[in-house]
Amino acid sequence: MDENGKKMDVMSLLPSELEELCREMGQPSYRAKQIFTFLSRGVPIEEMTTLPKDFRRSLANVCEDRLPRVEEKQVSALDGTVKYLFRLFDGEYIESVFMRYEHGNTLCISSEVGCPMGCAFCASTLGGKVRPLLPSEMLGQIIATERDIGERVSGVVMMGIGEPLDNYDNVIRFLKLVNHKDGLGIGYRHISLSTCGVVPGIKRLAEEELPITLSISLHAVTDEKRSALMPVNRKWNIDTLLTACADYYRKTSRRISFEYTLLAGENDGEDEARALASLLKRYMRGMPIHVNLIRVNEVKERAFVRGDAESVRRFAEVLSSHGVNATVRRRLGSDIDGACGQLRRRAKGGER
């Protein structure tokens, strides 16, 4: 039990903490590895057959796994992409998206229930943030997906509902759990964390020495426009953000990916493309630059619309002609609810 008399969230414990728990319960420390491996496979405590029955019973009395349950799933008839609506232990909902690539399977996961950032084009932030996700609930999205689909997830993108750096401590613990060799063993280099620009979190992350990929949601080239689209810019403007990005690269030597969502008639003109190239080259001088162009997912509560393929092509060509590497994100699952937050909002009756 925890200090409040509630059952312990065992899936959020690192192996060293499980060893301590085992010792406190009169069990040898090697039981910790057994428990950790079972949990990473989604096995309930009662079914951990290599543990003594009495220990399983005692463990279940003080601990619980908080594995998300599949509430709904949509499967794309076009490419097999799967969108999950997960129900959490307290009745809240989150979403994840399973995507198949030639190099392996990737899961886009949520880091919070709802989102506090208020980006003007995003469904996830409608209704704001309810609470942070526990490490176990982030890990559980991967475990539940693997169990449901029968395939290994080899890559993780933290780009679902929520702002990862707003839930910093839980996210760092999750990264250590998901990377551990006795658990899922997903390499840090196969994990991407996307932030809309929480500068203190970027600075802290640089000190962690975790070789993950940092993705920055930029979406505009002026403070005026970015502040209108992304309220976070009013606290940490473009200069502050890109200065932190340059410092991050110098500290980690890890290339940063800049995400740019194209909004028809708002930020997708050739002038914006030239300004974006100039902006990034000025701040990231001598550093590798990559821009990931994203065609906006249209959301009925938002007025933004998706531009045509030709406007996207021109934007990418202008960036490339100015020496900035740009790719257009492949649109997977275009025949299902693509934008994060839509399934959750419908499940909650639209009140969040």
Side-chain angles (χ1 to χ4, degrees), residues 8 29-30 49 54 57 59 63 83 97 178 208-209 232 241 244 271 284 343:
M8 190 178 302
S29 59
Y30 69 80
T49 52
D54 288 346
R57 191 177 302 112
L59 195 63
C63 297
K83 182 159 189 178
V97 181
V178 76
E208 299 285 351
E209 298 185 354
V232 68
L241 173 59
D271 287 344
M284 309 299 288
L343 289 184

Side-chain angles (χ1 to χ4, degrees), residues 61-125:
N61 285 336
V62 297
C63 297
E64 63 180 350
D65 75 77
R66 296 184 179 173
L67 192 68
R69 313 301 178 195
V70 177
E71 184 78 4
E72 181 183 345
K73 77 177 191 179
Q74 297 181 347
V75 182
S76 170
L78 299 176
D79 51 43
T81 295
V82 183
K83 182 159 189 178
Y84 286 98
L85 176 70
F86 287 117
R87 184 181 178 93
L88 305 177
F89 73 97
D90 61 354
E92 292 291 346
Y93 296 96
I94 54 172
E95 298 173 21
S96 304
V97 181
F98 174 85
M99 299 163 286
R100 293 182 178 89
Y101 295 96
E102 289 183 2
H103 59 266
N105 298 326
T106 294
L107 189 71
C108 179
I109 70 167
S110 297
S111 57
E112 296 181 302
V113 180
C115 182
M117 307 315 291
C119 295
F121 49 84
C122 183
S124 296
T125 197

Side-chain angles (χ1 to χ4, degrees), residues 21-227:
L21 177 64
C22 287
R23 287 193 294 268
E24 290 175 356
M25 298 182 70
Q27 293 291 320
S29 59
Y30 69 80
R31 296 288 184 205
K33 180 178 178 179
Q34 295 174 322
I35 296 169
F36 188 75
T37 301
F38 273 126
L39 290 172
S40 298
R41 295 172 182 165
V43 178
I45 293 172
E46 296 82 0
E47 297 176 20
M48 296 180 181
T49 52
T50 58
L51 305 182
K53 285 186 179 180
D54 288 346
F55 179 43
R56 275 183 270 164
R57 191 177 302 112
S58 298
L59 195 63
N61 285 336
V62 297
C63 297
E64 63 180 350
D65 75 77
R66 296 184 179 173
L67 192 68
R69 313 301 178 195
V70 177
E71 184 78 4
E72 181 183 345
K73 77 177 191 179
Q74 297 181 347
V75 182
S76 170
L78 299 176
D79 51 43
T81 295
V82 183
K83 182 159 189 178
Y84 286 98
L85 176 70
F86 287 117
R87 184 181 178 93
L88 305 177
F89 73 97
D90 61 354
E92 292 291 346
Y93 296 96
I94 54 172
E95 298 173 21
S96 304
V97 181
F98 174 85
M99 299 163 286
R100 293 182 178 89
Y101 295 96
E102 289 183 2
H103 59 266
N105 298 326
T106 294
L107 189 71
C108 179
I109 70 167
S110 297
S111 57
E112 296 181 302
V113 180
C115 182
M117 307 315 291
C119 295
F121 49 84
C122 183
S124 296
T125 197
L126 292 168
K129 172 185 168 182
V130 177
R131 67 171 177 84
L133 288 185
L134 301 164
S136 59
E137 293 170 321
M138 288 178 265
L139 190 70
Q141 293 169 67
I142 305 170
I143 296 169
T145 296
E146 288 188 338
R147 285 174 64 84
D148 178 73
I149 213 157
E151 298 179 37
R152 172 172 163 75
V153 171
S154 55
V156 177
V157 179
M158 304 194 75
M159 198 180 176
I161 296 171
E163 162 56 57
L165 297 184
D166 181 60
N167 188 16
Y168 188 89
D169 291 337
N170 283 343
V171 164
I172 295 300
R173 178 174 282 261
F174 156 73
L175 291 172
K176 293 176 180 178
L177 287 167
V178 76
N179 173 254
H180 200 282
K181 61 180 178 61
D182 294 329
L184 294 177
I186 297 177
Y188 286 131
R189 286 180 169 79
H190 299 287
I191 300 174
S192 177
L193 184 152
S194 176
T195 177
C196 63
V198 180
V199 169
I202 294 171
K203 292 179 177 179
R204 289 181 67 188
L205 189 62
E207 301 299 323
E208 299 285 351
E209 298 185 354
L210 300 175
I212 63 172
T213 297
L214 178 64
S215 297
I216 303 294
S217 296
L218 195 56
H219 308 321
V221 295
T222 67
D223 281 327
E224 181 181 10
K225 183 166 287 187
R226 191 167 191 268
S227 292

